[in-house]
Amino acid sequence: MDRKRIVSDINLREDRLPPGQRWISAPIVYDIVDHIPDWDMESYRFKVWGEVENPLELTYTQILSMPSVELLADFHCVTRWSVKDVLWEGVQTRYILELVKPKTHANFVLLHCLEGYTTNLPLSYLWEEDSLLAFKMQGKPIPKEHGYPLRLVVPKLYAWKSAKYVWGMELLREDVPGFWEQRGYNMRGDPWREERYW
Ligand SMILES: Nc1nc2c(c(=O)[nH]1)N[C@H]1C(S)=C(S)[C@@H](COP(=O)(O)O)O[C@H]1N2
Ligand SMILES: [Mo]
């Protein structure tokens, strides 16, 4: 089966490098905890709940068997580094949204991660063609430190919104600040508008 390859439209912008950023060669690992444990994949479930018609609960095997795409996208961290052309593979979040059917007043999403990290974003970003739930990076299963078993990739926002170790997507009527957003980071985080902090 030929897997569709998407090049993110952010890579094709004339102002490809957002203001105040510089290119580096590989993403730097950032975590809010010192030690990431090995996750128990027997009990792992990916869940979607909140303002949806059909809440969803899937095993990792079920996610790996969903239609997937390859994505080439730049990666922009709010601490001013950017990496060109990271290759991901995973399920488009728009495919997940079609399954769960968001209610009309679902406007925001809060991502829940296995180590306790959370981050919020407008739901509209999960309808973008280049937003994925990724299980591969640079052609291999995502290394543990980069988000195994599943990570969100939202190229149009700063990388702190690209949550690693994701297990939950909670669809919300009102915006709820996640880990960094409670500490002054922007509720949206568009790199071209330099939405870094409040
Ligand atoms: N679960 C989780 N996801 C996270 C973070 C985190 O601490 N925990 N850090 C974020 C930040 S600030 C950045 S820049 C990227 C870094 O991705 P990397 O660690 O794969 O390089 O992950 C984001 N996703
Ligand atoms: Mo970051």
Side-chain angles (χ1 to χ4, degrees):
M1 189 187 74
D2 262 347
R3 202 162 266 112
K4 184 175 169 192
R5 158 93 53 122
I6 295 165
V7 177
S8 170
D9 45 9
I10 71 163
N11 292 30
L12 308 173
R13 292 178 64 126
E14 231 164 89
D15 55 347
R16 179 171 181 179
L17 185 65
Q21 298 293 113
R22 67 190 168 86
W23 294 116
I24 64 169
S25 62
I28 299 167
V29 173
Y30 287 143
D31 281 302
I32 57 164
V33 293
D34 291 337
H35 175 72
I36 301 296
D38 287 330
W39 311 113
D40 171 18
M41 296 310 291
E42 286 298 311
S43 60
Y44 177 86
R45 297 291 181 278
F46 173 72
K47 298 180 188 175
V48 188
W49 72 95
E51 301 293 341
V52 294
E53 300 293 346
N54 306 319
L56 192 68
E57 186 171 327
L58 299 167
T59 65
Y60 198 48
T61 312
Q62 286 174 313
I63 291 162
L64 297 183
S65 65
M66 286 180 151
S68 60
V69 299
E70 285 186 337
L71 170 71
L72 208 56
D74 298 342
F75 196 70
H76 303 295
C77 174
V78 70
T79 63
R80 299 183 180 274
W81 54 262
S82 294
V83 175
K84 266 186 198 172
D85 289 331
V86 183
L87 177 65
W88 305 97
E89 187 182 318
V91 180
Q92 284 175 296
T93 51
R94 58 161 65 158
Y95 179 82
I96 303 283
L97 293 181
E98 277 161 11
L99 291 179
V100 299
K101 299 194 192 329
K103 295 185 178 171
T104 49
H105 52 259
N107 297 316
F108 300 95
V109 62
L110 185 64
L111 278 299
H112 296 265
C113 306
L114 293 167
E115 92 288 30
Y117 184 81
T118 53
T119 188
N120 58 297
L121 52 149
L123 183 62
S124 58
Y125 285 92
L126 298 193
W127 286 109
E128 295 287 333
E129 179 186 48
D130 58 352
S131 291
L132 298 192
L133 276 172
F135 47 73
K136 281 192 185 181
M137 182 185 190
Q138 314 291 31
K140 301 191 189 103
I142 293 196
K144 183 177 164 185
E145 68 273 18
H146 288 298
Y148 176 87
L150 207 56
R151 101 172 278 167
L152 184 70
V153 178
V154 180
K156 291 185 172 66
L157 298 176
Y158 282 122
W160 89 80
K161 306 285 186 181
S162 287
K164 305 191 283 187
Y165 332 114
V166 172
W167 67 267
M169 269 173 50
E170 182 179 5
L171 277 70
L172 297 162
R173 188 186 285 254
E174 312 279 352
D175 207 1
V176 171
F179 180 89
W180 285 119
E181 292 82 4
Q182 289 167 29
R183 290 159 176 82
Y185 284 43
N186 197 270
M187 295 292 267
R188 182 170 60 179
D190 178 336
W192 284 270
R193 298 174 193 239
E194 285 210 79
E195 293 173 340
R196 299 175 189 273
Y197 310 104
W198 290 113

